Amino acid sequence: MKLEKNEIRVAIFILLPLVILLVVIVLKLGYSFATSTIDVYMKVDNISSIKNGTQVKIKGYTVGRVVDIIPVYKPTLHFLALMRIKKEIDLYEDCSAIIMNQNIIGDTIIEIRNPARKVELLQSGAVVEGVEYV
């Protein structure tokens, strides 16, 4: 069974766009082919204002976004929002995550604020307490 030139061209014409489409979908879902991000969880009691894709900012600069929201049922119902944040940003333990509206339209953002006294850098997989700003 010998493949002809036209069959090879048709296979490339079909497979190449499919591979490109899969790469775009994977990147849009928040996955990274490089290890340039860290995953930090934010614990919140109410997820009415955050969703997948909510921006994470430090002093107005976008440093990441929410990629997943996981319900935790024990000991009481609360939620863990998985935030994928750029690795070059220095986040310290005891930093706070404040959920607030960015503008009058109501776009929600998560503002990360480092503590005044910096102790240790936040590791991937750490949990930060989320507070909703009213």
Side-chain angles (χ1 to χ4, degrees):
M1 182 171 154
K2 186 178 178 185
L3 294 176
E4 293 183 23
K5 282 186 175 182
N6 286 340
E7 291 174 341
I8 294 172
R9 287 181 184 159
V10 168
I12 291 173
F13 183 75
I14 291 173
L15 293 177
L16 187 64
L18 284 175
V19 169
I20 292 172
L21 180 66
L22 286 174
V23 168
V24 168
I25 289 173
V26 165
L27 290 176
K28 281 294 187 182
L29 289 176
Y31 295 102
S32 175
F33 293 117
T35 58
S36 61
T37 60
I38 62 169
D39 291 340
V40 177
Y41 293 95
M42 178 182 64
K43 179 184 173 194
V44 291
D45 292 328
N46 186 358
I47 59 164
S48 62
S49 58
I50 61 172
K51 62 182 187 281
N52 289 347
T54 300
Q55 294 182 353
V56 178
K57 296 187 174 201
I58 294 179
K59 295 184 179 181
Y61 177 69
T62 302
V63 295
R65 62 189 177 101
V66 174
V67 294
D68 195 14
I69 299 173
I70 306 160
V72 178
Y73 300 105
K74 292 182 181 178
T76 61
L77 178 63
H78 61 277
F79 301 91
L80 292 176
L82 177 61
M83 302 183 295
R84 190 150 290 148
I85 299 174
K86 295 178 184 177
K87 195 172 198 168
E88 64 264 9
I89 303 299
D90 288 338
L91 294 177
Y92 295 93
E93 287 185 10
D94 296 334
C95 66
S96 59
I98 300 168
I99 304 165
M100 57 182 16
N101 287 339
Q102 179 178 11
N103 53 30
I104 197 160
I105 296 173
D107 294 337
T108 304
I109 64 165
I110 299 169
E111 181 74 28
I112 302 285
R113 295 185 182 159
N114 275 323
R117 200 176 93 202
K118 299 171 172 77
V119 183
E120 266 186 59
L121 288 175
L122 203 61
Q123 299 296 318
S124 184
V127 178
V128 175
E129 190 72 32
V131 178
E132 192 159 352
Y133 180 76
V134 180

